[in-house]
């Protein structure tokens, strides 16, 4: 009896080793769409890819642009301007058709060549915060349709901010100084990213380094603020600009940039931020119908040409070993 059981187990083991299992399900078209409309910019971009599945190594497939790109001629991509009272219908007041282009991307797992992205030009002021915008992506070969809609953010400006005044981060009689900027919440704007851009020359080159502040969420408040800490400003310069005694650097100007995002963008960022708890299960978020990704809006507000006080410039020249003159 024992010999019979042993023989039976050996036959079962051999037969199971010879059985091929296909762990991949049947192919299903899955469209991935990411786009943030910004009426402050002329060119608007939307990234559209496809999910892929195959028998090869995933990293190898990811490096092949054909794995993730649709053939551009197979897609018809349209953005409609519709009335706010017709959010889910195509009561069309205007439309644009997107065309494909190729942009340079940073190195990574996915291919840097043939980085296809879709664009349209807002030079005719197609985008306006008084309307709703709906995107429709039609695959002319499969007939698959992907769609989404968004409102636009209703502008932005700072409270009591005069760009003609120089920023001061240091005073010899006081020490380090902080600068606080305040603003009123924009309609449909829920998150705010404030950047300080430090522009300088290095020989014949013009260079900009960007100091990004923590995201600020509205949390129901209309009056909001963000602070540039004086000592942190100089620490930022030290960490962002390499020491080089063979160059001469000169400060040019500061620029202030505020990027405002919608509630959908806020939700997407919060869902995808790193987890600090033991539980690593992550909920998914997408507002794309029949696809995955994010279609929403942002607003970019830029103030250029801000100067620095004499005390601040003197500290950069004399107290930082960065070759500024």
């Amino acid at each position: 009896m024992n010999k019979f059981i042993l023989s039976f187990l050996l036959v079962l083991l051999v037969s199971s080793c010879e059985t091929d299992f296909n762990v991949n399900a049947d192919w299903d078209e899955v469209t991935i769409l990411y786009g943030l409309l910004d009426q402050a910019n002329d060119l608007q971009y939307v990234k559209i890819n496809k999910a892929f599945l195959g028998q090869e190594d995933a990293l190898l497939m990811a490096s092949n642009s054909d794995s993730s790109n649709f053939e551009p001629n197979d897609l018809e991509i349209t953005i409609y301007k519709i009335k706010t009272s017709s959010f889910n219908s195509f009561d069309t007041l205007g439309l644009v058709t997107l065309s494909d282009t190729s942009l340079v991307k940073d190195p990574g797992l996915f291919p840097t060549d043939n980085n296809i992205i879709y664009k349209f030009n807002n030079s005719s002021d197609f985008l306006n915060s008084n309307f709703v915008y709906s995107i429709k992506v039609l695959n002319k070969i499969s007939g698959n349709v992907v769609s989404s809609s968004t409102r636009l953010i209703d502008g932005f400006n700072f409270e009591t901010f005069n760009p003609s005044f120089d920023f001061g981060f240091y005073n010899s009689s006081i020490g380090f100084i902080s600068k606080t900027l305040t603003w009123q919440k924009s309609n449909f704007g829920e998150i705010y990213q404030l950047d300080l851009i430090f522009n300088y020359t290095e020989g014949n080159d013009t260079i900009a380094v960007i100091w990004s502040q923590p995201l600020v969420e509205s949390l129901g408040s209309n009056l909001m603020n963000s602070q540039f800490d004086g000592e942190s400003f100089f620490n930022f310069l030290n960490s962002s600009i390499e020491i080089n005694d063979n160059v001469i650097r000169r400060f040019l100007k500061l620029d202030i940039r505020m990027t405002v995002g919608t509630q959908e963008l806020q939700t997407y960022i919060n869902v995808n931020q790193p987890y600090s708890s033991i539980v690593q299960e992550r909920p998914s978020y997408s507002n794309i119908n029949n696809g995955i990704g994010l279609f929403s809006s942002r607003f970019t507000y830029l103030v250029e040409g801000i100067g620095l006080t004499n005390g601040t410039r003197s500290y950069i020249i004399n107290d930082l070993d960065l070759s500024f003159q």
Side-chain angles (χ1 to χ4, degrees), residues 22-84:
N22 183 10
V23 296
N24 290 334
D26 294 336
W27 184 83
D28 185 26
E29 181 176 331
V30 178
T31 302
I32 305 168
L33 187 157
Y34 287 98
L36 294 174
L37 301 181
D38 188 342
Q39 66 266 40
N41 296 330
D42 288 337
L43 279 177
Q44 309 290 316
Y45 296 100
V46 176
K47 182 67 172 170
I48 300 174
N49 291 104
K50 60 182 177 181
F52 57 88
L53 184 66
Q55 301 292 342
E56 299 181 30
D57 181 87
L59 295 179
L60 180 62
M61 290 187 292
S63 65
N64 186 347
S65 59
D66 291 337
S67 298
S68 56
N69 284 338
F70 287 101
E71 172 59 44
N73 291 332
D74 293 347
L75 299 182
E76 182 180 279
I77 308 165
T78 310
I79 293 182
Y80 300 88
K81 178 194 290 186
I82 57 181
K83 294 180 180 179
T84 56

Side-chain angles (χ1 to χ4, degrees), residues 163-210:
S164 64
F165 289 171
D166 294 339
F167 273 21
F169 294 109
Y170 184 81
N171 184 293
S172 58
S173 60
I174 300 175
F176 297 116
I177 305 170
S178 296
K179 175 69 175 180
T180 300
L181 297 181
T182 60
W183 65 89
Q184 290 285 342
K185 178 182 179 300
S186 301
N187 288 337
F188 308 110
E190 296 296 332
I191 52 173
Y192 298 79
Q193 175 73 68
L194 181 62
D195 297 324
L196 184 148
I197 306 170
F198 182 89
N199 301 273
Y200 66 96
T201 61
E202 184 174 299
N204 295 323
D205 298 326
T206 300
I207 302 174
V209 290
I210 302 173

Side-chain angles (χ1 to χ4, degrees), residues 234-247:
F234 298 109
N235 291 336
F236 159 75
L237 294 182
N238 269 326
S239 62
S240 302
I241 303 174
E242 293 184 358
I243 295 175
N244 188 344
D245 296 332
N246 298 320
V247 299

Side-chain angles (χ1 to χ4, degrees), residues 40-307:
N41 296 330
D42 288 337
L43 279 177
Q44 309 290 316
Y45 296 100
V46 176
K47 182 67 172 170
I48 300 174
N49 291 104
K50 60 182 177 181
F52 57 88
L53 184 66
Q55 301 292 342
E56 299 181 30
D57 181 87
L59 295 179
L60 180 62
M61 290 187 292
S63 65
N64 186 347
S65 59
D66 291 337
S67 298
S68 56
N69 284 338
F70 287 101
E71 172 59 44
N73 291 332
D74 293 347
L75 299 182
E76 182 180 279
I77 308 165
T78 310
I79 293 182
Y80 300 88
K81 178 194 290 186
I82 57 181
K83 294 180 180 179
T84 56
S85 59
S86 306
F87 192 91
N88 293 316
S89 69
F90 287 102
D91 189 359
T92 306
L93 300 174
L95 60 86
V96 293
T97 301
L98 279 66
S99 60
D100 63 283
T101 187
S102 182
L103 295 181
V104 177
K105 70 178 293 292
D106 295 332
L109 292 178
F110 292 93
T112 56
D113 66 307
N114 201 25
N115 179 37
I116 299 174
I117 198 165
Y118 299 87
K119 66 174 183 176
F120 72 92
N121 198 311
N122 186 43
S123 58
S124 59
D125 294 327
F126 173 75
L127 298 178
N128 187 299
S129 58
N130 293 322
F131 303 99
V132 171
Y133 292 85
S134 183
I135 189 169
K136 176 183 176 183
V137 180
L138 167 66
N139 188 324
K140 294 181 287 186
I141 304 303
S142 67
N144 191 55
V145 176
V146 171
S147 65
S148 187
S149 297
T150 186
R151 292 293 303 261
L152 300 185
I153 293 168
D154 189 16
F156 175 86
N157 62 77
F158 288 107
E159 293 276 310
T160 63
F161 173 63
N162 189 340
S164 64
F165 289 171
D166 294 339
F167 273 21
F169 294 109
Y170 184 81
N171 184 293
S172 58
S173 60
I174 300 175
F176 297 116
I177 305 170
S178 296
K179 175 69 175 180
T180 300
L181 297 181
T182 60
W183 65 89
Q184 290 285 342
K185 178 182 179 300
S186 301
N187 288 337
F188 308 110
E190 296 296 332
I191 52 173
Y192 298 79
Q193 175 73 68
L194 181 62
D195 297 324
L196 184 148
I197 306 170
F198 182 89
N199 301 273
Y200 66 96
T201 61
E202 184 174 299
N204 295 323
D205 298 326
T206 300
I207 302 174
V209 290
I210 302 173
W211 186 27
S212 295
Q213 304 306 297
L215 279 175
V216 178
E217 301 186 10
S218 67
L219 301 177
S221 174
N222 286 325
L223 185 62
M224 309 172 69
N225 69 80
S226 185
Q227 185 181 80
F228 295 119
D229 178 73
E231 185 174 8
S232 298
F233 168 73
F234 298 109
N235 291 336
F236 159 75
L237 294 182
N238 269 326
S239 62
S240 302
I241 303 174
E242 293 184 358
I243 295 175
N244 188 344
D245 296 332
N246 298 320
V247 299
I248 295 176
R249 294 167 172 147
R250 289 185 172 87
F251 167 74
L252 283 178
K253 61 172 183 170
L254 296 179
D255 299 328
I256 298 296
R257 180 176 62 201
M258 177 67 84
T259 305
V260 188
T262 59
Q263 183 177 6
E264 290 79 14
L265 181 56
Q266 177 188 33
T267 301
Y268 184 84
I269 292 174
N270 288 339
V271 165
N272 288 281
Q273 65 185 351
Y275 273 20
S276 58
S277 66
I278 297 176
V279 179
Q280 294 296 306
E281 185 176 352
R282 183 185 302 275
S284 60
Y285 175 78
S286 172
N287 69 342
I288 308 298
N289 301 317
N290 198 32
I292 58 176
L294 178 72
F295 181 68
S296 190
S297 68
R298 64 183 175 188
F299 186 86
T300 306
Y301 181 84
L302 183 64
V303 181
E304 299 180 281
I306 302 169

